[in-house]
Amino acid sequence: MSSQSKRQRAYQKAVAEIDALELPQAVDKLKSLNESLPKGVKASSFDQTVELAVRLGVDPKHADQIVRGSIVLPHGIGKSQRVLVFCQGPNVAIAEEAGADHVGGKELADKIKDGWVDFDVAIATPDMMGVVGPLGRVLGPRGLMPSPRAGTVTQDVAGAVKEYKAGKVEFRTDSAGIVHCVVGKLSFDAQQLTENADALLNLIRSLKPAAAKGQYIRSITLSATQMPGIPIVAA
């Protein structure tokens, strides 16, 4: 096992004894970690992605307890997503005009079957699901399979493309009942990160399954790509 870098040790020391914080204070603490680095220890040279991890009191083995959804965050996520659209006819021009990076049908499906997955979001019109359906084994494990529940199987191609280009993100409980979702970049100001995270948490709260028993939100952690997690009060 490789030893931690001086930067990682400094980060860990800075958060070692903190209790769960309210969301605004947790954001401030995360953003201040680079300022706490000792002299001679440099901060990361790239703009780190900030993520929320929310552990829920659900059993994702049961379909009626899976929590999933999508949201256009108030301040986006700090990057332009690469959007692929499966469509035909007039929708091709509509998708291209809306800003889609890749537009097509069977030819795109064949590329994906050969291992190409150079995109972040896949959208499909309902009439293309015969082409898209067989791609489930490739796209499903990567979270890229178009789905009506996520709004990525739709006739409104232009609206879907624009939403994802504006920073729409999807989330779903993993096998441990945890939702992981990007809420921005470390370069965002504290208010932007707080508002993005708050919007996501409010949506997750509203999606509590009727079958879920006991405490719904069990823990919340805010982190960045190379930074330790900051616990947030799970109210």
Side-chain angles (χ1 to χ4, degrees):
M1 181 180 294
S2 60
S3 60
Q4 286 187 321
S5 67
K6 290 181 180 180
R7 183 170 63 225
Q8 289 298 323
R9 290 197 297 271
Y11 287 156
Q12 292 291 348
K13 183 178 179 180
V15 303
E17 297 182 2
I18 64 170
D19 294 322
L21 303 172
E22 296 294 337
L23 177 58
Q25 287 70 46
V27 169
D28 287 340
K29 184 64 176 179
L30 188 74
K31 288 183 64 65
S32 72
L33 286 180
N34 279 335
E35 298 171 9
S36 69
L37 291 173
K39 186 177 180 179
V41 178
K42 295 182 179 180
S44 298
S45 59
F46 67 98
D47 191 7
Q48 298 184 49
T49 296
V50 178
E51 180 183 279
L52 269 186
V54 186
R55 186 167 65 90
L56 302 177
V58 299
D59 185 351
K61 293 179 182 177
H62 299 284
D64 62 352
Q65 294 191 49
I66 293 174
V67 176
R68 67 179 299 172
S70 59
I71 183 173
V72 179
L73 294 171
H75 304 286
I77 58 172
K79 76 168 188 175
S80 178
Q81 300 191 87
R82 300 165 297 173
V83 178
L84 176 149
V85 180
F86 291 102
C87 62
Q88 59 188 350
N91 280 322
V92 171
I94 292 172
E96 290 175 342
E97 186 173 344
D101 299 277
H102 309 283
V103 183
K106 185 177 182 300
E107 72 282 7
L108 287 180
D110 289 340
K111 283 182 67 175
I112 291 169
K113 288 176 183 176
D114 290 336
W116 177 77
V117 286
D118 194 20
F119 52 93
D120 302 303
V121 179
I123 295 167
T125 52
D127 60 336
M128 295 299 293
M129 289 310 292
V131 172
V132 177
L135 302 176
R137 290 183 179 180
V138 179
L139 299 182
R142 293 175 170 84
L144 295 173
M145 188 66 181
S147 161
R149 288 188 64 182
T152 47
V153 176
T154 177
Q155 288 285 12
D156 184 11
V157 171
V161 171
K162 289 176 181 177
E163 281 188 337
Y164 279 98
K165 283 293 185 179
K168 185 176 184 179
V169 290
E170 298 177 30
F171 58 87
R172 175 182 174 135
T173 45
D174 63 16
S175 60
I178 301 172
V179 168
H180 299 269
C181 191
V182 172
V183 292
K185 293 287 189 177
L186 199 59
S187 61
F188 282 22
D189 66 39
Q191 182 174 344
Q192 290 175 320
L193 284 174
T194 299
E195 290 177 357
N196 275 1
D198 193 45
L200 175 65
L201 289 172
N202 285 337
L203 177 57
I204 291 174
R205 292 185 184 104
S206 75
L207 296 174
K208 180 181 179 179
K213 304 300 180 183
Q215 185 177 355
Y216 176 49
I217 295 183
R218 296 189 173 178
S219 68
I220 307 171
T221 304
L222 182 74
S223 63
T225 307
Q226 294 187 345
M227 291 180 172
I230 308 293
I232 294 173
V233 175

